[in-house]
Amino acid sequence: MKLHASYEGKIQHLARSKTSSKVVQFVILTLSVILVFIYYHYTHYILEKPNSIQFHTNANLHARSITTRKDVNDQKVVLKPISNSRSNKSCDLFSGEWVVNPDGPYYTNETCQMMQQHQNCMKFGRPDRDFLKWRWKPNDCELQVFDPVKFMEMMKGKSLAFVGDSVARNHMQSLICLLTRVTYPTDVSNSSDENFKRYEYLEYNFTISMFWSPYLVKAEKTNPQDVSQPFKLYLDEFDESWTFEIENYNYVIISSGQWFFRPIYFYTNRSFIGCLYCSESDIRHYPTTFGYQKAWRTAFRAINSLKNFKGMVFLRSFVASHFEGGDWNKGGDCVRTKPFKSNESVMADFNLEMYNTQLQEYKIGEVGGRKNEIKFSLMDVTQIMQMRPDGHPSKYGHGPYKNASWPSDCVHWCLPGPIDVWNDFLVELIKREETNR
């Protein structure tokens, strides 16, 4: 039986509609499967590659600190941001490695006239330059290289004092040399004594001073004409050449170490109690750390006794020398040309004892400082500098004088050189303190 033509057309139309509907459903189903597949692999990539995603999402936030390089095909490759300020706040700055830095150094002996001759290694013919091409890389973050412009802006209207020995002065000269890329100071010292200097950056109202105090406490020469003879050390008395001078300073960096390996006569309550490395056999001989411990206890007590001092004190921790093959006066030298890795050099014996003694007294001093609102901060460079036997002047701290026997210098540091990083630390520690406030 034949259907009416109109019914037959309707049936054919319905058939075509059903077929079209099935096609649409199939297309929708296929697209859904594809989208699910893409979503799964994308989210899986995020979970497996968090660093890559973090870099892309944070690229705009860190645009100023991104570095670039070119690969072998001369294609520009964007590297990860060199700093994350949030992680820096909690990062241990003093655990890490020295890594290659092709951009160093940031000044030369020609651009900076502030360095002393015995630190001017380039002038006296040091043949290698690799010791200038390293920077410190903490394990869990980046340490920003010293920026003189930002530093001067941060220090406007403020003052900074260095207290300690010739290595403390070495540090001050490193800072001034780094700042010569921006400005030069005016010497406003009250005397010509290199051990007591005061420099002003007039356009920034910023002052840097050096207070010589190798023993940190009151000391006297046994022979005023010969500094090689033993000193008298009054372990319980303040050295007034710095203790009352720092009261109006915003920041104080205090350090000392190597002078405590010299012959010393010890006094407490103005009474003689014994010695270190003295020739007399009928008096009490104390260990190396005895005077060091007492001196630091008195130094921190002096700081905490200052009623009007509301600044911040940085303890730059003990730094060992790097004499090898003999003592300083018995042919010892430091001829290495690159840093150690962190697992290649471990401090031991008396150097470790000196470091631990200093830290114990620092903790006591820090507790005392809280009562007077005095902030203490530890610049813990001991192990960091233990890894840099390559940065000393050695025999390149003087000219090749005839008929003269000069010991190698493995105590001080070439400028420019490894201790420039101490100023990187200084900036970061000040920033952290300002953030905490």
Side-chain angles (χ1 to χ4, degrees):
M1 180 179 69
K2 291 185 177 181
L3 295 173
H4 191 276
S6 60
Y7 285 104
E8 186 175 358
K10 288 181 180 180
I11 291 173
Q12 291 175 351
H13 174 73
L14 288 172
R16 286 194 299 269
S17 297
K18 288 181 179 181
T19 301
S20 299
S21 177
K22 289 180 179 181
V23 171
V24 171
Q25 291 175 1
F26 176 79
V27 171
I28 292 173
L29 180 61
T30 302
L31 289 174
S32 299
V33 171
I34 292 172
L35 289 173
V36 169
F37 178 83
I38 293 174
Y39 176 79
Y40 170 78
H41 281 274
Y42 180 73
T43 56
H44 180 70
Y45 178 76
I46 291 176
L47 294 173
E48 292 296 321
K49 303 288 185 181
N51 291 336
S52 298
I53 300 303
Q54 181 182 4
F55 166 71
H56 290 296
T57 56
N58 291 336
N60 292 332
L61 296 176
H62 300 282
R64 292 184 179 180
S65 61
I66 291 176
T67 59
T68 62
R69 66 170 173 81
K70 291 186 178 181
D71 65 12
V72 292
N73 295 320
D74 205 36
Q75 297 293 320
K76 200 171 188 180
V77 179
V78 180
L79 301 180
K80 296 172 73 172
I82 64 173
S83 175
N84 185 316
S85 59
R86 290 184 297 173
S87 63
N88 264 15
K89 293 178 184 178
S90 59
C91 169
D92 180 2
L93 296 174
F94 308 108
S95 295
E97 300 283 352
W98 289 95
V99 298
V100 174
N101 178 30
D103 295 331
Y106 298 96
Y107 62 92
T108 71
N109 61 332
E110 295 181 351
T111 62
C112 179
Q113 306 301 316
M114 295 300 299
M115 64 185 71
Q116 292 177 283
Q117 294 303 297
H118 65 271
Q119 299 152 356
N120 197 342
C121 303
M122 299 300 100
K123 175 179 178 178
F124 295 115
R126 178 164 176 159
D128 63 302
R129 297 292 186 273
D130 289 347
F131 78 100
L132 300 171
K133 299 294 184 178
W134 299 89
R135 67 177 178 87
W136 179 251
K137 169 65 176 70
N139 288 329
D140 300 319
C141 61
E142 291 285 345
L143 177 64
Q144 291 292 319
V145 172
F146 184 88
D147 185 328
V149 175
K150 291 182 179 179
F151 180 82
M152 294 306 289
E153 289 296 324
M154 183 171 63
M155 300 302 283
K156 272 187 176 179
K158 297 181 180 179
S159 54
L160 169 64
F162 290 85
V163 176
D165 55 19
S166 53
V167 180
R169 186 176 62 224
N170 204 173
H171 183 185
M172 178 192 73
Q173 291 160 342
S174 165
L175 174 60
I176 293 175
C177 283
L178 286 166
L179 292 174
T180 56
R181 290 181 289 164
V182 173
T183 183
Y184 290 84
T186 300
D187 188 342
V188 293
S189 308
N190 294 325
S191 73
S192 59
D193 189 346
E194 288 295 323
N195 294 324
F196 294 91
K197 302 296 289 184
R198 177 184 172 91
Y199 299 98
E200 278 192 17
Y201 291 86
L202 300 177
E203 64 271 43
Y204 294 93
N205 189 24
F206 171 49
T207 302
I208 296 178
S209 297
M210 173 68 202
F211 296 99
W212 173 261
S213 185
Y215 291 114
L216 304 177
V217 296
K218 183 177 178 61
E220 293 178 353
K221 300 173 184 176
T222 55
N223 183 343
Q225 307 303 321
D226 188 356
V227 295
S228 66
Q229 296 301 310
F231 274 65
K232 295 179 181 179
L233 222 59
Y234 299 92
L235 295 172
D236 54 350
E237 296 186 36
F238 298 168
D239 180 358
E240 296 183 359
S241 68
W242 70 268
T243 52
F244 299 112
E245 295 293 331
I246 66 167
E247 197 158 20
N248 295 319
Y249 280 78
N250 299 101
Y251 303 103
V252 176
I253 304 176
I254 187 169
S255 59
S256 185
Q258 296 300 321
W259 280 64
F260 287 86
F261 297 125
R262 300 159 58 103
I264 305 171
Y265 293 122
F266 296 125
Y267 290 78
T268 58
N269 296 317
R270 285 282 159 168
S271 298
F272 177 67
I273 61 171
C275 72
L276 171 70
Y277 303 141
C278 63
S279 58
E280 296 86 343
S281 59
D282 58 342
I283 60 178
R284 183 170 181 177
H285 288 245
Y286 285 95
T288 307
T289 55
F290 173 78
Y292 200 53
Q293 182 266 324
K294 298 293 185 183
W296 277 110
R297 175 88 43 111
T298 299
F300 286 127
R301 181 165 57 87
I303 294 171
N304 290 330
S305 71
L306 300 175
K307 301 301 181 182
N308 298 319
F309 179 64
K310 301 302 179 184
M312 185 173 184
V313 178
F314 299 93
L315 169 64
R316 197 264 295 150
S317 64
F318 174 80
V319 174
S321 61
H322 287 97
F323 289 101
E324 295 184 77
D327 294 334
W328 70 273
N329 58 347
K330 296 180 180 178
D333 204 350
C334 39
V335 297
R336 297 180 185 268
T337 57
K338 68 177 183 179
F340 290 122
K341 293 187 179 299
S342 59
N343 62 351
E344 291 178 336
S345 179
V346 179
M347 193 167 52
D349 302 328
F350 62 89
N351 285 321
L352 182 60
E353 292 176 8
M354 295 286 280
Y355 173 64
N356 288 334
T357 297
Q358 185 185 52
L359 289 193
Q360 290 171 3
E361 292 307 313
Y362 168 78
K363 292 175 183 177
I364 295 171
E366 185 182 29
V367 171
R370 293 173 190 165
K371 299 177 183 178
N372 296 331
E373 299 181 1
I374 297 175
K375 302 290 185 179
F376 284 85
S377 181
L378 178 63
M379 190 182 294
D380 193 357
V381 299
T382 301
Q383 177 59 21
I384 293 171
M385 303 314 295
Q386 177 73 14
M387 298 160 63
R388 291 307 305 268
D390 57 322
H392 298 286
S394 179
K395 63 181 179 181
Y396 301 107
H398 55 78
Y401 304 118
K402 294 181 179 180
N403 302 321
S405 177
W406 291 80
S408 293
D409 185 353
C410 303
V411 173
H412 301 97
W413 303 88
C414 293
L415 294 181
I419 67 168
D420 291 330
V421 77
W422 295 356
N423 298 301
D424 301 345
F425 289 129
L426 176 63
V427 171
E428 180 61 29
L429 292 174
I430 291 176
K431 285 181 179 178
R432 289 185 177 191
E433 175 58 25
E434 293 300 325
T435 300
N436 290 337
R437 288 182 180 179

